[in-house]
């Protein structure tokens, strides 16, 4: 059936070299690791840790991060094999094209558009909140009408700072991937220094009594906390969208994916332990828990640095998420499932210029006008769905012996992919019903787009038609 028509791995790699659609290969293992850390450490560590501790896990937040981290490590190993085997833009979307066929690839691509798009919008809103908090400390205030998303009852109509940062990030991304990755590396080093500063100062103020009771909400609280803080890990999969712009992807992609995830998991566990050791978990239900903890122990000067670091941290998350979104549009468009304008590359900059500005406008609309309070859960379900598909994809590749002997290979197959699938599936089941309903509606809209446009314009469809004419 043509709904499940596939592209072979060789075909996908050959298409990368086509004229007028190539991206510049400039990234190495260090760039990719920084890209991954840039995407992962941000909203999760600076915002979500407090809420997850206060409402779900208490001091057992450490276990929540370990549980989420395990799910991500297993999934990351599967991503690393695919990224090494199929070094092409598009992440899970492209991998599915080679394993499951076009309709499943489209569903995953549509799912990832939701993940990157809404994550970008939510992160931009978070950035706006941190900036306004920082400026308020200097007595600078924006007019209330332009400080948040549309909510006339609250006197807000549009989030102008969120829109401004999206435009600035897009201008940077259109200058080329190397310039973007340099700035990302600088900001990542700043935020890593800030996290280490918090650990170095905070560790002396830990009171072990604050860790009792360790699991106040029971193990169900730990799992609910894990599903919530899963948002903190979203980003390592964005590294795989850079595959086409990497020198020696077989070696560098696995290093970038796994190194960034391991660094972030260790930091998350240490920070959550110190945070709940300094402040009783009941008091951590705040938007800036790390800075709040330092104010709590009267280390106000460090709290100021933390706010600056958080701003840098959230900026890098936004940069990588918007980057991932543009490369996903690029890959889907190159296959004909979206209009060709998304895969048009500027000859001078070697970046998808038009695509970047369309993405900028779409993300700005959501960030500026739509209140995104509960959309972290919707982003989570989209990501977990992608991780589960990639895990099954590895089993499928091995069964059909499609993987080459070179490059990275997942150890202990089939156990690692099965564990990845089960862990991610379990976390997905912890999310509320409204997330599942909203996700289902989004996928139904995607099927209408596929059958209305994508199926007819697919490059596989046009090739089949051409072959019929020739014969």
């Amino acid at each position: 059936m043509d709904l499940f028509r596939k592209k072979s791995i060789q075909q996908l790699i050959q298409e990368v070299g086509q004229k007028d659609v190539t991206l510049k290969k400039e990234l190495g293992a260090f760039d990719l690791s920084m890209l991954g850390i840039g995407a992962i450490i941000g909203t999760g560590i600076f915002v979500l840790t407090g809420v997850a501790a206060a409402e779900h896990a208490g001091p057992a937040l450490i276990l929540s991060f370990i549980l989420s981290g395990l799910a991500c490590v297993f999934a990351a190993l599967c991503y690393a094999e695919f990224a090494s085997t199929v070094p092409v833009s598009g992440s899970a979307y492209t991998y599915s094209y080679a394993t499951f066929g076009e309709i499943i690839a489209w569903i995953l691509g549509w799912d990832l558009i939701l993940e990157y798009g809404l994550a970008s919008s939510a992160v931009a809103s978070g950035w706006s909140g941190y900036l306004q908090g920082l400026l308020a400390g200097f007595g600078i205030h924006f007019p209330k009408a332009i400080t948040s998303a549309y909510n006339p009852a609250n006197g807000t109509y549009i989030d102008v700072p969120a829109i401004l940062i999206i435009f600035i990030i897009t201008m940077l991304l259109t200058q080329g991937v190397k310039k973007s990755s340099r700035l990302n590396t600088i900001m990542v080093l700043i935020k890593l220094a800030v996290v280490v500063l918090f650990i170095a100062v905070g560790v002396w103020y830990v009171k072990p009594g604050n860790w009792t009771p360790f699991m106040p909400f029971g193990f169900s609280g730990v799992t609910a906390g894990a599903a919530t803080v899963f948002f903190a890990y979203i980003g390592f999969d964005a590294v795989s969208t850079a595959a086409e712009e990497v020198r020696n992807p077989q070696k560098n992609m696995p290093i970038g994916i796994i190194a960034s995830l391991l660094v972030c998991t260790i930091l998350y566990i240490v920070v959550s332990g110190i945070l709940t050791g300094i402040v009783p978990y009941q008091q951590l239900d705040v938007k800036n828990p790390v800075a709040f903890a330092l104010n709590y122990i009267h280390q106000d000067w460090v709290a100021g640095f933390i706010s600056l670091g958080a701003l840098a941290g959230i900026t890098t998350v936004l940069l990588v998420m918007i980057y991932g979104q543009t490369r996903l549009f690029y890959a889907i468009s190159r296959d004909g499932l979206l209009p060709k304008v998304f895969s048009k590359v500027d000859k001078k900059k070697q970046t998808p210029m038009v695509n970047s500005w369309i993405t900028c406008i779409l993300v700005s609309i959501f960030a500026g006008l739509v209140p995104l309070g509960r959309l972290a859960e919707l982003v989570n379900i989209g990501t977990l769905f992608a991780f589960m598909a990639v895990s099954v994809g590895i089993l499928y590749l091995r069964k059909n012996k499609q993987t080459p002997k070179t490059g990275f290979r997942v150890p202990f197959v089939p156990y690692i992919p099965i564990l990845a699938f089960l862990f991610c599936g379990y976390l997905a089941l912890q999310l509320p019903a409204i997330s599942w309903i909203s996700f289902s509606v989004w996928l139904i809209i995607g099927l209408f787009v596929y059958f209305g446009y994508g199926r007819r314009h697919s490059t596989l469809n046009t090739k089949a038609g051409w072959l019929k004419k020739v014969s």
Side-chain angles (χ1 to χ4, degrees), residues 171-461:
M171 284 177 66
L172 177 67
L173 285 171
T174 55
Q175 297 306 303
V177 70
K178 193 64 184 176
K179 285 182 183 175
S180 305
S181 75
R182 275 187 201 133
L183 181 69
N184 177 68
T185 298
I186 292 165
M187 286 194 287
V188 166
L189 292 173
I190 290 169
K191 73 176 170 186
L192 284 177
V194 161
V195 172
V196 170
L197 178 66
F198 169 75
I199 293 167
V201 172
V203 72
W204 305 103
Y205 294 87
V206 168
K207 294 178 181 173
N210 287 333
W211 291 330
T212 309
F214 183 67
M215 211 182 284
F217 303 97
F219 190 70
S220 61
V222 172
T223 56
T228 304
V229 299
F230 186 80
F231 188 83
Y233 285 102
I234 291 170
F236 80 82
D237 60 320
V239 174
S240 62
T241 64
E244 228 168 283
E245 293 159 278
V246 178
R247 303 185 303 268
N248 193 359
Q250 282 76 17
K251 177 187 170 190
N252 291 333
M253 288 300 299
I255 293 172
I257 290 170
I258 295 165
S260 59
L261 188 62
L262 288 177
V263 168
C264 295
T265 302
I266 291 164
L267 288 176
Y268 278 163
I269 291 166
V270 174
V271 167
S272 57
I274 291 174
L275 199 62
T276 52
I278 294 174
V279 185
Y281 72 90
Q282 301 93 328
Q283 297 179 39
L284 280 171
D285 192 5
V286 292
K287 285 184 178 178
N288 56 343
V290 177
F292 175 81
L294 290 164
N295 287 324
Y296 187 85
I297 55 174
H298 308 295
Q299 295 292 329
D300 298 339
W301 68 275
V302 186
F305 277 111
I306 293 289
S307 292
L308 273 173
L311 209 57
I314 295 170
T315 304
T316 61
V317 175
L318 189 57
L319 186 145
V320 181
M321 286 297 167
I322 294 177
Y323 171 83
Q325 179 76 288
T326 60
R327 284 355 183 226
L328 181 66
F329 276 145
Y330 169 83
I332 298 174
S333 166
R334 188 170 57 188
D335 294 330
L337 304 182
L338 283 176
K340 285 294 178 190
V341 68
F342 286 101
S343 55
K344 193 175 180 185
V345 174
D346 182 84
K347 286 183 180 177
K348 189 178 176 186
K349 305 282 187 187
Q350 285 186 274
T351 56
M353 197 79 77
V354 180
N355 167 350
S356 298
W357 286 110
I358 293 172
T359 301
C360 170
I361 291 163
L362 293 174
V363 172
S364 295
I365 290 168
F366 280 98
L369 299 174
V370 183
L372 290 167
R374 301 207 169 194
L375 283 179
E377 287 157 351
L378 198 52
V379 176
N380 284 354
I381 197 169
T383 309
L384 287 164
F385 182 73
F387 288 5
M388 289 161 75
V390 169
S391 308
V392 174
I394 289 294
L395 296 174
Y396 191 91
L397 277 183
R398 291 295 179 87
K399 188 186 173 192
N400 292 281
K401 297 181 178 168
Q402 283 183 266
T403 49
K405 300 295 179 201
T406 56
F408 180 82
R409 286 167 71 82
V410 178
F412 309 116
V413 171
Y415 306 110
I416 295 281
I418 290 171
L419 282 170
F421 183 87
L422 293 175
F423 266 80
C424 292
Y426 181 71
L427 289 179
L429 291 173
Q430 307 308 307
L431 293 167
I434 188 69
S435 296
W436 284 90
I437 294 164
S438 305
F439 183 61
S440 302
V441 169
W442 175 254
L443 290 186
I444 289 165
I445 293 168
L447 289 173
F448 275 106
V449 174
Y450 175 72
F451 286 106
Y453 180 90
R455 191 180 176 196
R456 284 182 293 115
H457 292 86
S458 167
T459 52
L460 290 184
N461 200 43

Side-chain angles (χ1 to χ4, degrees), residues 14 34 51 54 57 74 104 138 144 158 167 202 232 339 400 411 417 444 462:
Q14 280 169 6
M34 289 293 110
V51 177
F74 295 142
I104 305 296
F138 296 99
K144 191 171 184 185
I158 187 167
F167 270 81
N400 292 281
I444 289 165
T462 51

